[in-house]
Amino acid sequence: MRKEERYKGVLDWFQANVPVAETELHYENPYQLLIAVILSAQCTDKRVNLITPALFEAFPTPEVLAASTPEAVYEYIRSVSYPNNKAKHLVGMAKTLVEQFQGVVPSDVDELQKLPGVGRKTANVIASVVFDKPAMAVDTHVFRVSNRIGLTLNSKTPLETERELVKHIPERLIPIAHHWLILHGRYVCLARKPKCESCGLKPWCKYFLTHPL
């Protein structure tokens, strides 16, 4: 199967069967989503959503968070993975946001990466979800699913995967395609044992063609 056929089949299926796909993180503004995405690194969205209401209430603006300390923030996020590092990142992020961006979350991926705790994946999430830019964030789910299906056959790094996906997915679909792949990896194409029997992508999946039921 040619790569173009595989991409068309996969994207057509998602458009027909998953017309709505969005982040499962709870937020009300760009600042809140930025916090939530930083916290979600190597942590479940479910866990992040449990702790962010109190965190958002205690630190409602970048200015309030910037004036705080990692020790104070830690008390609100102690149940997530790597709470010490993330507490430092959050305070540093807020300080940079206030000092360099007047407290406004930037829309540019390169500008976003100037914020402590914000790597390319997080920057792409913000650019895509908040600003609807054609940015493809590659987390473990996107990386695994893309390679397993055959969308990115030889990608060795998240950046290689990102470039390959952006090259073949129509620009207008990139923001939602990010969520399609994440959710598919989270609920169907599981890491240890993919649920191939209930997967609608079987006709185009390279893995299924070599591992039939």
Side-chain angles (χ1 to χ4, degrees):
M1 182 182 298
R2 287 168 41 240
K3 182 171 282 191
E4 292 75 14
E5 292 178 71
R6 177 166 283 128
Y7 267 92
K8 184 179 187 308
V10 169
L11 294 174
D12 285 352
W13 186 89
F14 275 129
Q15 288 183 85
N17 294 277
V18 193
V20 177
E22 52 196 12
T23 181
E24 294 184 314
L25 292 168
H26 298 165
Y27 71 99
E28 294 181 355
N29 54 55
Y31 163 69
Q32 289 187 356
L33 180 62
L34 183 54
I35 289 175
V37 177
I38 290 173
L39 290 174
S40 72
Q42 295 179 283
C43 187
T44 65
D45 288 0
K46 184 177 180 181
R47 166 57 54 188
V48 173
N49 288 336
L50 286 174
I51 68 164
T52 47
L55 182 67
F56 294 157
E57 184 176 353
F59 307 101
T61 67
E63 289 76 13
V64 174
L65 182 55
S68 185
T69 64
E71 292 74 23
V73 174
Y74 174 87
E75 295 304 317
Y76 291 87
I77 69 169
R78 61 196 316 160
S79 65
V80 303
S81 57
Y82 308 107
N84 283 307
N85 283 339
K86 289 178 180 178
K88 293 174 186 174
H89 286 155
L90 289 178
V91 173
M93 174 274 289
K95 287 181 177 178
T96 303
L97 203 56
V98 171
E99 293 169 2
Q100 295 187 27
F101 300 99
Q102 294 74 55
V104 178
V105 176
S107 61
D108 182 76
V109 169
D110 292 331
E111 295 286 276
L112 282 161
Q113 290 182 83
K114 294 177 181 178
L115 302 170
V118 177
R120 187 169 182 86
K121 185 203 81 172
T122 297
N124 279 338
V125 170
I126 301 302
S128 171
V129 174
V130 175
F131 301 103
D132 202 33
K133 290 195 170 188
M136 174 59 71
V138 178
D139 68 353
T140 55
H141 295 302
V142 174
F143 185 77
R144 179 182 72 254
V145 171
S146 299
N147 275 286
R148 189 179 273 169
I149 292 174
L151 300 179
T152 55
L153 293 176
N154 300 305
S155 295
K156 299 293 190 295
T157 66
L159 183 57
E160 286 181 11
T161 296
E162 176 190 332
R163 287 172 174 166
E164 188 76 1
L165 292 172
V166 168
K167 178 180 175 183
H168 291 92
I169 297 174
E171 190 173 289
R172 64 183 177 82
L173 292 179
I174 290 175
I176 192 171
H178 157 70
H179 297 299
W180 282 335
L181 293 169
I182 284 179
L183 296 174
H184 195 69
R186 189 172 289 167
Y187 298 111
V188 181
C189 197
L190 308 181
R192 292 186 179 178
K193 194 177 191 319
K195 298 179 180 179
C196 294
E197 67 282 356
S198 61
C199 178
L201 299 180
K202 290 194 290 288
W204 308 281
C205 180
K206 181 176 179 288
Y207 176 86
F208 182 73
L209 293 175
T210 57
H211 298 77
L213 295 174

